[in-house]
Amino acid sequence: MSDHHPSKPHVLARRSVARSRLFHVEEMELRFSNGAERTFERLGGTGRGAGAVMIVAMPDPDHVLLIREYAAGVEDYTLTLPKGLVDPGEDIVSAANRELMEECGFGAHRIEPLVELTLAPNYMRHRMQVMLATDLYPRRLPGDEPEPLIVETHAIDELSALLAREDFHEARAIAALYIARDKVRAEASEPSLW
């Protein structure tokens, strides 16, 4: 197996195909290193924010907070992790703590990055910073949700039971929980985490 990667395709042209309040569809004409040319479309944000955060909030080493919210894409209520956009001028730790306060009614004394995730990278530029929040305290901030979110507490070691549910299926949340669970297990002997 070789470590050699082909060079990135040359962008011949970019065109805006459509734009809405939240999304921008861009068409890209690409020429690959072997001479093949293709047209790709990708979905991007409007550029108003500085990314997005998803929070694995753990009130104790064995449990995680999940929210139940309406997901317009699947036209149903889903169980997922709290998440939101990073506001301009806001760092990812502050954004994660703000979203946690808005969506779950808790702040965190300790927030650390876990991983950066993408979703459908062939079609979207979107990147999500997953953060682990521990040492929680009660604090509610008003959010922009159209209705109050339901906050549920679930055991981090019962991920297979969550996966068996019809309302828990967001790939980024699933990956984030497995990564957080493995990190917490690896640090179980470190008392400073809690």
Side-chain angles (χ1 to χ4, degrees), residues 4 10 12 18 29 39 41 55 58 60 80-81 94 106 110 114 127 130 132 134 138 144-145 150 175 184:
H4 177 72
H10 179 68
L12 302 174
E29 301 286 338
T39 301
E41 288 183 358
I55 306 99
M58 299 186 68
D60 61 62
T80 188
L81 291 169
S94 298
F106 286 95
R110 182 175 178 184
L114 277 178
R127 295 176 181 272
V130 180
L132 177 63
T134 55
D144 58 1
E145 288 75 20
I150 297 170
V184 168

Side-chain angles (χ1 to χ4, degrees), residues 5-120:
H5 298 284
S7 57
K8 288 183 181 180
H10 179 68
V11 179
L12 302 174
R14 296 177 197 260
R15 286 180 285 288
S16 179
V17 177
R19 189 178 291 273
S20 74
R21 182 177 57 84
L22 293 177
F23 302 107
H24 175 221
V25 180
E26 182 180 54
E27 183 179 85
M28 300 172 64
E29 301 286 338
L30 302 176
R31 179 179 299 130
F32 289 81
S33 60
N34 65 359
E37 292 185 11
R38 297 289 187 278
T39 301
F40 284 78
E41 288 183 358
R42 69 179 181 177
L43 180 65
T46 58
R48 72 174 192 86
V53 292
M54 176 176 273
I55 306 99
V56 179
M58 299 186 68
D60 61 62
D62 300 318
H63 295 90
V64 64
L65 300 180
L66 298 176
I67 59 169
R68 180 174 305 285
E69 67 179 344
Y70 186 76
V74 296
E75 297 183 39
D76 206 353
Y77 285 89
T78 62
L79 194 60
T80 188
L81 291 169
K83 60 189 167 299
L85 295 176
V86 178
D87 290 337
E90 189 176 43
D91 63 68
I92 61 173
V93 171
S94 298
N97 213 18
R98 176 184 49 75
E99 287 292 340
L100 184 59
M101 291 175 192
E102 291 175 1
E103 297 189 2
C104 294
F106 286 95
H109 289 296
R110 182 175 178 184
I111 299 178
E112 60 184 300
L114 277 178
V115 68
E116 179 181 83
L117 298 175
T118 61
L119 183 67

